[in-house]
Amino acid sequence: MTSKSGILADRAIGALFGEGQLKSEAMLDHDQIQPASLDLRLGGKAIRVRASFMPGRGHTVAEKLERLTLHEIDLENGAVLETGCVYIVPLMESLDLPAEISASANPKSSTGRLDIFTRVMVDYAQEFDKVPAGYKGQLYLEISPRTFPIIVRRGSRLSQIRFRVGHALLGETELVDLHKTETLVASDMPNVSGGGIALSIDLKGSGPQGLIGYRGKHHTSVIDVDRKGAHEVLDFWEPLYSRGRDELILDPDEFYILVSNEAVHVPPLYAAEMTPYDPLVGEFRVHYAGFFDPGFGHAPAGGSGSRAVLEVRSHEVPFILEHGQVIGRLVYEHMQERPEGLYGTGLGSNYQAQGLKLSKHFRLPE
């Protein structure tokens, strides 16, 4: 394994399996390794717990589960996970990382768009979604559906993990220089601060009716996370329209799917991540930070015009969003090498060249 700093690309992730530093209960799915990440698969059982918890220094997840378990659910043939409940699922993948490699995890794009709250945990952890360099042991996923009850099964993929060597994050000067040569966001005057490049919200809408987004409905039927195009949009979502006001009042604790005003570009030698907007600026936040693989929005990979879909909540009080308001930031990291496959290039990527788009589980309008 090279000691060069950066995010590991698909070839290096595959090598981790070959060297026994990444392990799995079963053979990998053919599309499980992405350009800069690995999809993680649920194991055969879900453990309903009283509350979310952090293992903490000196404790394994299993030790905490002995005290907090309510009951176990068999996932072999599929099972429903209810909203408002917290489940811990041992994952099929485990780690035996070398001392120079750390990792971080995030919900997959489709997971975030279904308002499924997920976080990866490891033994002795003091942070969610962070795997320290040299970690050896089991991976666990905390799952809490927020809006829709879901059906999952052994092998379902709700989360993804990235591996890195050293410090890969671009500083602000590097980010400005990269934008000048690669146009990271479709903006003549990019807002670069806090280590990231800003994205604003599109509330003018698209189409003849000015569709600006969707709000999740309550008391719906279940969504099968492994079935693509199986559900009717209007059974789960209320479409939202601009009405010429270019603004949207966020109701507290409602879940919204919105879209960025700017197209996003992730060049092949970089990876990006959406970070939640600073809550000090407003009583809302982009609910899920998400990965953007190398090639997202890259014209040669078919991604020209790709915009970022945003999962948004307001907390405590109603909040007015206005068109063009900054709502999140993208941070960029160096790749160790160019991936063998780019996002959208023969990988069956669901969200290349996207505008406002719900998750892959819903039927496209005819």
Side-chain angles (χ1 to χ4, degrees):
M1 180 65 64
T2 176
S3 60
K4 178 183 176 182
S5 294
I7 300 293
L8 271 62
D10 43 17
R11 177 168 32 210
I13 295 172
L16 291 180
F17 279 101
E19 295 164 6
Q21 295 162 345
L22 245 174
K23 304 174 184 179
S24 181
E25 296 173 9
M27 290 183 61
L28 293 182
D29 296 340
H30 74 280
D31 59 347
Q32 194 172 343
I33 297 177
Q34 299 295 313
S37 61
L38 173 75
D39 290 352
L40 297 171
R41 298 176 294 182
L42 302 186
K45 66 178 180 180
I47 302 161
R48 169 87 187 276
V49 292
R50 293 165 52 193
S52 176
F53 64 90
M54 181 71 70
R57 184 177 298 166
H59 297 281
T60 66
V61 176
E63 289 169 349
K64 288 293 182 76
L65 287 174
E66 288 179 3
R67 181 164 58 91
L68 297 173
T69 293
L70 295 178
H71 63 271
E72 292 187 4
I73 301 168
D74 186 354
L75 298 184
E76 289 294 340
N77 297 312
V80 174
L81 304 186
E82 301 285 356
T83 58
C85 298
V86 181
Y87 305 88
I88 307 298
V89 180
L91 296 171
M92 293 173 68
E93 287 74 35
S94 59
L95 301 177
D96 187 359
L97 293 178
E100 70 274 14
I101 296 182
S102 62
S104 59
N106 251 322
K108 287 175 59 64
S109 295
S110 296
T111 304
R113 295 184 204 200
L114 292 177
D115 200 19
I116 306 169
F117 189 63
T118 69
R119 301 188 288 198
V120 167
M121 285 193 296
V122 297
D123 293 336
Y124 316 114
Q126 299 182 79
E127 294 180 279
F128 291 111
D129 285 333
K130 302 293 183 186
V131 182
Y135 175 76
K136 296 174 174 59
Q138 177 71 52
L139 296 172
Y140 299 84
L141 188 65
E142 177 188 303
I143 306 172
S144 183
R146 301 292 302 277
T147 297
F148 313 118
I150 59 173
I151 296 175
V152 300
R153 55 189 57 80
R154 184 177 186 270
S156 295
R157 290 146 57 173
L158 299 180
S159 187
Q160 57 192 168
I161 191 168
R162 273 186 181 165
F163 302 92
R164 62 175 54 78
V165 173
H167 182 77
L169 201 63
L170 273 68
E172 290 183 14
T173 300
E174 289 180 287
L175 202 55
V176 170
D177 290 343
L178 184 62
H179 176 75
K180 289 178 181 177
T181 59
E182 295 283 1
T183 311
L184 302 179
V185 299
S187 172
D188 294 330
M189 298 181 64
N191 177 338
V192 178
S193 64
I197 188 164
L199 289 179
S200 66
I201 195 74
D202 176 12
L203 293 178
K204 289 188 177 296
S206 60
Q209 294 180 291
L211 180 68
I212 60 173
Y214 297 89
R215 179 166 50 208
K217 292 184 176 181
H218 299 282
H219 314 298
T220 67
S221 60
V222 299
I223 293 176
D224 189 326
V225 301
D226 296 320
R227 294 184 64 196
K228 185 176 179 179
H231 305 283
E232 295 288 348
V233 170
L234 295 181
D235 289 343
F236 296 87
W237 300 98
E238 175 191 354
L240 303 172
Y241 301 98
S242 69
R243 301 180 182 177
R245 296 175 186 165
D246 297 348
E247 67 179 26
L248 175 65
I249 298 178
L250 301 176
D251 292 322
D253 291 322
E254 295 292 317
F255 180 68
Y256 298 85
I257 296 291
L258 304 173
V259 71
S260 68
N261 192 36
E262 302 86 2
V264 172
H265 177 212
V266 184
L269 287 174
Y270 299 87
E273 182 176 351
M274 173 74 75
T275 61
Y277 194 51
D278 186 351
L280 297 178
V281 178
E283 293 298 324
F284 71 93
R285 64 174 290 163
V286 178
H287 193 59
Y288 302 97
F291 290 155
F292 291 78
D293 271 315
F296 182 88
H298 191 55
S304 181
S306 297
R307 293 197 281 172
V309 169
L310 308 166
E311 301 97 16
V312 179
R313 280 187 184 276
S314 180
H315 295 298
E316 306 298 337
V317 297
F319 188 85
I320 297 178
L321 279 181
E322 298 183 3
H323 177 78
Q325 186 170 343
V326 172
I327 197 170
R329 294 190 181 275
L330 284 176
V331 296
Y332 282 74
E333 293 185 90
H334 294 280
M335 296 292 297
Q336 275 195 340
E337 60 182 342
R338 182 186 173 107
E340 292 181 331
L342 296 178
Y343 188 89
T345 306
L347 297 182
S349 305
N350 291 291
Y351 306 118
Q352 187 69 296
Q354 71 179 357
L356 175 63
K357 188 175 183 181
L358 294 171
S359 73
K360 62 187 179 184
H361 306 91
F362 299 97
R363 296 188 186 101
L364 295 174
E366 296 181 358

